[in-house]
Amino acid sequence: MNKTFAGSRAVRKPVVLLVDDDPEIHRLLDVKLCREDFALVHALDADRAAEAMAASPALVLLDIRMPADREGIEILRSIKKVRPELPVIMLSSRGEVETVVESLRCGAEDFFHKPDLASSKKFAQLIERIRELAGRNERGGSRPEAMHPYPGFEDIIGKDEPVRNMIN
């Protein structure tokens, strides 16, 4: 069950969906995220990821390269079609700049290089980012109606046509 108790009321643990074909990543993140009071739902491929979306995750951790299955970018696009507000953090063993940029353009919130997660500092950054994004989603802060019409340009002030053309 995805609940803990605070006083006399049940508190729902935020659900994190992990889509990765590497069972070792699943074991590592399962232990770490459970300690951080998250419920982890596992999917080793795209079909299981689609089924796991029924758990209404607050966040998705998604491997970019899934050799036995569809690529992570394709899965990301599928997720964003169904739940555009759902935060997705991409993971990869390789750090190809083009793929990272493409995943961010497709709606991923962030990217972490798996080998860097061996560092406790980097892993702590991942946990903090999960906490931030999952918490925002659980509070409804990333509902489509609450999102900025030009994601990534929230700090730009101006409604002039030249500014709008530059953003688009």
Side-chain angles (χ1 to χ4, degrees):
M1 189 179 294
N2 298 335
K3 294 182 180 177
T4 56
F5 291 90
S8 62
R9 63 183 173 84
V11 178
R12 185 175 179 268
K13 288 182 176 184
V15 175
V16 174
L17 170 57
L18 173 60
V19 184
D20 197 309
D21 60 333
D22 182 356
E24 287 301 314
I25 292 294
H26 284 269
R27 280 192 275 282
L28 171 70
L29 288 174
D30 195 31
V31 170
K32 300 281 188 178
L33 290 176
C34 284
R35 275 192 214 140
E36 297 294 328
D37 223 16
F38 288 99
L40 190 63
V41 175
H42 303 271
L44 293 168
D45 58 41
D47 291 336
R48 289 189 180 108
E51 292 168 9
M53 290 296 288
S56 297
L59 179 133
V60 176
L61 293 172
L62 176 59
D63 188 13
I64 287 179
R65 298 276 179 234
M66 304 209 24
D69 199 19
R70 295 188 298 167
E71 288 291 326
I73 298 289
E74 188 179 337
I75 297 168
L76 171 64
R77 287 185 182 118
S78 297
I79 289 170
K80 290 298 183 174
K81 280 182 186 173
V82 177
R83 293 208 29 217
E85 81 288 356
L86 183 62
V88 178
I89 296 175
M90 302 301 285
L91 304 171
S92 182
S93 296
R94 303 174 218 129
E96 308 98 353
V97 175
E98 301 83 23
T99 308
V100 173
V101 169
E102 183 180 359
S103 68
L104 294 172
R105 283 187 181 145
C106 290
E109 298 277 346
D110 212 334
F111 167 86
F112 282 84
H113 191 225
K114 286 185 200 177
D116 293 345
L117 296 177
S119 151
S120 58
K121 182 179 178 181
K122 257 310 193 195
F123 201 87
Q125 289 174 346
L126 172 63
I127 296 297
E128 185 55 37
R129 191 71 169 130
I130 291 170
R131 189 176 286 119
E132 172 194 339
L133 293 171
R136 182 185 78 195
N137 194 37
E138 289 284 299
R139 289 187 309 275
S142 61
R143 290 189 315 266
E145 64 271 14
M147 292 175 68
H148 191 275
Y150 304 103
F153 294 94
E154 294 85 353
D155 296 328
I156 293 180
I157 300 172
K159 296 187 181 190
D160 296 73
E161 189 172 346
V163 172
R164 293 170 71 91
N165 288 338
M166 179 182 71
I167 292 171
N168 291 326

